[in-house]
Every structure is written in C-alpha cells, then in structure tokens.
Coordinates of all heavy atoms in Angstrom, one line a residue:
L1 N -49.5 0.5 -0.4 CA -48.3 1.2 -0.5 C -48.5 2.7 -0.7 O -47.7 3.5 -0.2 CB -47.4 0.6 -1.8 CG -46.8 -0.8 -1.5 CD1 -46.2 -1.4 -2.7 CD2 -45.8 -0.7 -0.3
V2 N -49.4 3.1 -1.5 CA -49.7 4.5 -1.7 C -50.2 5.2 -0.4 O -49.9 6.2 -0.1 CB -50.7 4.7 -2.9 CG1 -51.2 6.2 -3.0 CG2 -50.1 4.3 -4.2
Y3 N -51.0 4.4 0.3 CA -51.5 5.0 1.6 C -50.3 5.1 2.5 O -50.2 6.2 3.2 CB -52.5 4.0 2.2 CG -53.8 3.8 1.5 CD1 -54.4 2.5 1.4 CD2 -54.4 4.9 0.8 CE1 -55.6 2.3 0.7 CE2 -55.6 4.7 0.1 CZ -56.1 3.4 0.1 OH -57.3 3.2 -0.6
G4 N -49.3 4.2 2.5 CA -48.2 4.4 3.4 C -47.3 5.5 2.9 O -46.8 6.3 3.8
W5 N -47.2 5.7 1.6 CA -46.4 6.8 1.1 C -47.0 8.1 1.5 O -46.3 9.0 1.9 CB -46.3 6.7 -0.4 CG -45.8 7.7 -1.2 CD1 -44.7 8.6 -0.9 CD2 -46.2 8.2 -2.5 NE1 -44.5 9.5 -1.8 CE2 -45.4 9.3 -2.9 CE3 -47.2 7.7 -3.4 CZ2 -45.5 9.9 -4.1 CZ3 -47.3 8.4 -4.6 CH2 -46.5 9.5 -4.9
Q6 N -48.3 8.2 1.4 CA -49.0 9.5 1.7 C -48.9 9.7 3.2 O -48.9 10.8 3.7 CB -50.4 9.5 1.2 CG -50.5 9.6 -0.3 CD -49.8 10.9 -0.8 OE1 -50.3 12.0 -0.6 NE2 -48.6 10.7 -1.4
A7 N -49.0 8.6 4.0 CA -48.9 8.8 5.5 C -47.6 9.4 6.0 O -47.5 10.1 7.0 CB -49.1 7.5 6.2
I8 N -46.5 9.2 5.2 CA -45.2 9.7 5.6 C -44.8 11.0 4.8 O -43.8 11.6 5.1 CB -44.1 8.6 5.5 CG1 -43.9 8.2 4.1 CG2 -44.3 7.5 6.5 CD1 -42.7 7.3 3.9
A9 N -45.6 11.3 3.8 CA -45.3 12.5 3.0 C -45.4 13.8 3.8 O -46.3 13.8 4.6 CB -46.1 12.5 1.7
P10 N -44.5 14.7 3.6 CA -44.7 16.0 4.2 C -46.1 16.8 3.9 O -46.7 17.3 4.7 CB -43.5 16.9 3.8 CG -42.6 15.9 3.1 CD -43.4 14.7 2.7
R11 N -46.5 16.6 2.6 CA -47.8 17.2 2.2 C -48.5 16.0 1.5 O -48.0 15.3 0.6 CB -47.6 18.3 1.2 CG -46.7 19.4 1.7 CD -47.4 20.4 2.6 NE -48.3 21.2 1.8 CZ -49.2 21.9 2.4 NH1 -49.2 22.1 3.6 NH2 -50.1 22.6 1.7
I12 N -49.8 15.8 1.9 CA -50.6 14.8 1.4 C -51.2 15.3 0.0 O -51.8 16.3 0.0 CB -51.7 14.3 2.4 CG1 -51.0 13.8 3.7 CG2 -52.6 13.4 1.8 CD1 -51.9 13.4 4.8
N13 N -51.2 14.5 -1.0 CA -51.7 14.7 -2.2 C -53.2 14.4 -2.3 O -53.6 13.3 -2.2 CB -50.9 13.9 -3.3 CG -51.3 14.2 -4.7 OD1 -52.5 14.0 -5.1 ND2 -50.5 14.7 -5.5
C14 N -54.0 15.4 -2.5 CA -55.5 15.3 -2.5 C -55.9 14.4 -3.7 O -56.9 13.6 -3.5 CB -56.2 16.5 -2.6 SG -56.2 17.5 -1.1
G15 N -55.2 14.4 -4.8 CA -55.6 13.6 -5.9 C -55.5 12.1 -5.6 O -56.4 11.3 -5.9
L16 N -54.4 11.7 -5.0 CA -54.2 10.3 -4.6 C -55.2 9.9 -3.6 O -55.6 8.8 -3.6 CB -52.8 10.1 -4.1 CG -51.6 10.2 -5.1 CD1 -50.3 10.1 -4.5 CD2 -51.8 9.1 -6.2
I17 N -55.5 10.8 -2.6 CA -56.4 10.4 -1.6 C -57.8 10.3 -2.1 O -58.6 9.4 -1.8 CB -56.4 11.6 -0.4 CG1 -55.1 11.6 0.2 CG2 -57.6 11.2 0.5 CD1 -54.5 10.3 0.8
A18 N -58.2 11.1 -3.1 CA -59.4 11.0 -3.8 C -59.6 9.6 -4.6 O -60.6 9.0 -4.4 CB -59.6 12.1 -4.8
V19 N -58.4 9.3 -5.3 CA -58.5 7.9 -6.0 C -58.6 6.8 -5.0 O -59.3 5.8 -5.2 CB -57.2 7.8 -6.9 CG1 -57.1 6.4 -7.4 CG2 -57.2 8.8 -7.9
G20 N -57.9 6.9 -3.8 CA -58.0 5.8 -2.8 C -59.5 5.8 -2.2 O -60.0 4.8 -2.0
G21 N -60.1 7.0 -2.1 CA -61.4 7.0 -1.6 C -62.3 6.4 -2.5 O -63.2 5.6 -2.2
L22 N -62.2 6.7 -3.8 CA -63.1 6.1 -4.8 C -62.9 4.6 -4.9 O -63.8 3.9 -5.1 CB -62.8 6.7 -6.2 CG -63.3 8.3 -6.3 CD1 -62.7 8.8 -7.7 CD2 -64.8 8.3 -6.2
G23 N -61.7 4.2 -4.8 CA -61.4 2.7 -4.8 C -62.1 2.1 -3.6 O -62.6 0.9 -3.8
K24 N -62.0 2.6 -2.5 CA -62.7 1.9 -1.3 C -64.1 2.0 -1.4 O -64.8 1.0 -1.1 CB -62.2 2.6 -0.1 CG -60.7 2.3 0.3 CD -60.4 2.4 1.7 CE -59.1 1.8 2.0 NZ -59.1 0.3 2.0
V25 N -64.7 3.1 -1.8 CA -66.2 3.1 -1.9 C -66.7 2.2 -3.0 O -67.7 1.5 -2.9 CB -66.7 4.6 -2.2 CG1 -68.2 4.6 -2.5 CG2 -66.5 5.4 -0.9
G26 N -65.9 2.1 -4.1 CA -66.2 1.2 -5.3 C -66.1 -0.2 -4.8 O -67.0 -0.9 -5.2
F27 N -65.1 -0.6 -4.0 CA -65.0 -1.9 -3.6 C -66.3 -2.3 -2.7 O -66.8 -3.4 -2.9 CB -63.7 -2.2 -2.7 CG -63.6 -3.4 -2.1 CD1 -63.3 -4.6 -2.9 CD2 -63.9 -3.6 -0.8 CE1 -63.2 -5.9 -2.3 CE2 -63.8 -4.9 -0.1 CZ -63.5 -6.0 -0.9
F28 N -66.7 -1.4 -1.9 CA -67.9 -1.6 -1.0 C -69.1 -1.8 -1.8 O -69.9 -2.7 -1.7 CB -68.1 -0.5 0.0 CG -69.3 -0.6 0.8 CD1 -69.4 -1.5 1.9 CD2 -70.5 0.0 0.5 CE1 -70.6 -1.7 2.5 CE2 -71.6 -0.1 1.1 CZ -71.7 -0.9 2.2
L29 N -69.3 -0.8 -2.8 CA -70.5 -1.0 -3.6 C -70.6 -2.2 -4.5 O -71.6 -2.8 -4.7 CB -70.6 0.3 -4.5 CG -70.8 1.6 -3.7 CD1 -70.9 2.7 -4.7 CD2 -72.1 1.5 -3.0
L30 N -69.4 -2.6 -5.0 CA -69.3 -3.9 -5.8 C -69.7 -5.0 -5.0 O -70.4 -5.9 -5.4 CB -67.9 -4.0 -6.5 CG -67.7 -3.2 -7.7 CD1 -66.3 -3.3 -8.1 CD2 -68.6 -3.6 -8.9
T31 N -69.1 -5.1 -3.8 CA -69.4 -6.2 -2.8 C -70.8 -6.2 -2.5 O -71.5 -7.4 -2.6 CB -68.5 -6.0 -1.5 OG1 -67.2 -5.9 -1.9 CG2 -68.7 -7.2 -0.6
V32 N -71.4 -5.2 -2.2 CA -72.9 -5.1 -1.9 C -73.7 -5.5 -3.1 O -74.7 -6.3 -3.0 CB -73.3 -3.7 -1.4 CG1 -74.8 -3.6 -1.3 CG2 -72.7 -3.4 0.0
A33 N -73.3 -5.0 -4.3 CA -74.1 -5.4 -5.5 C -74.0 -6.9 -5.8 O -75.0 -7.5 -6.1 CB -73.5 -4.6 -6.7
Y34 N -72.8 -7.5 -5.6 CA -72.8 -9.0 -5.8 C -73.4 -9.8 -4.8 O -73.9 -10.9 -5.0 CB -71.3 -9.4 -6.1 CG -70.8 -9.0 -7.5 CD1 -70.1 -7.9 -7.7 CD2 -71.1 -9.9 -8.6 CE1 -69.8 -7.6 -9.0 CE2 -70.8 -9.6 -9.8 CZ -70.0 -8.4 -10.0 OH -69.7 -8.1 -11.4
W35 N -73.4 -9.3 -3.5 CA -74.2 -9.9 -2.5 C -75.6 -9.8 -2.8 O -76.4 -10.8 -2.7 CB -73.9 -9.1 -1.1 CG -74.9 -9.5 -0.1 CD1 -75.2 -10.7 0.5 CD2 -75.8 -8.6 0.7 NE1 -76.2 -10.7 1.4 CE2 -76.5 -9.3 1.5 CE3 -75.9 -7.2 0.6 CZ2 -77.5 -8.7 2.4 CZ3 -76.9 -6.7 1.4 CH2 -77.6 -7.4 2.3
L36 N -76.2 -8.7 -3.2 CA -77.6 -8.6 -3.5 C -78.0 -9.5 -4.7 O -79.1 -10.0 -4.9 CB -78.0 -7.2 -3.9 CG -78.0 -6.2 -2.7 CD1 -78.2 -4.7 -3.1 CD2 -79.0 -6.6 -1.7
A37 N -77.0 -9.7 -5.7 CA -77.3 -10.6 -6.8 C -77.1 -12.1 -6.4 O -77.4 -13.0 -7.2 CB -76.2 -10.3 -7.9
G38 N -76.7 -12.3 -5.1 CA -76.6 -13.7 -4.7 C -75.3 -14.4 -4.9 O -75.2 -15.6 -4.7
D39 N -74.3 -13.6 -5.4 CA -73.0 -14.2 -5.7 C -72.1 -14.2 -4.6 O -71.0 -14.9 -4.6 CB -72.3 -13.4 -6.9 CG -73.1 -13.6 -8.2 OD1 -73.8 -14.6 -8.3 OD2 -73.0 -12.7 -9.0
L40 N -72.3 -13.4 -3.5 CA -71.5 -13.4 -2.3 C -72.3 -13.5 -1.1 O -73.4 -13.0 -1.1 CB -70.7 -12.0 -2.3 CG -69.7 -11.7 -3.4 CD1 -69.2 -10.3 -3.2 CD2 -68.6 -12.7 -3.3

C-alpha cells in the first residue's frame, strides 16, 4: 500500500522509499540466511 501511495504521490518521500528498500534487502538477507542454515 505504501508503494502504491508513493507511486501516485506528486512528490516521492525518500524516507519511505529508504524504509521500503531496507525491508526488501532485509527480506532477501533473512531468506538467504535461513536457506544457508538449512531451514528453507
């Protein structure tokens, strides 16, 4: 929903985009870590 909100906003908020970026990178890193641990 936040991505959609920012996609239609006249000005994109860098702070929200940074949090979204950290969330996505964090999701990837957690997935890889749990794969390496044998859980995924």
Side-chain angles (χ1 to χ4, degrees):
L1 290 171
V2 170
Y3 298 140
W5 170 37
Q6 288 302 289
I8 62 172
R11 303 282 291 173
I12 295 173
N13 183 298
C14 284
L16 289 175
I17 298 305
V19 170
L22 290 171
K24 290 209 164 281
V25 170
F27 175 76
F28 174 80
L29 293 175
L30 282 170
T31 303
V32 169
Y34 281 96
W35 164 58
L36 291 172
D39 293 334
L40 294 174

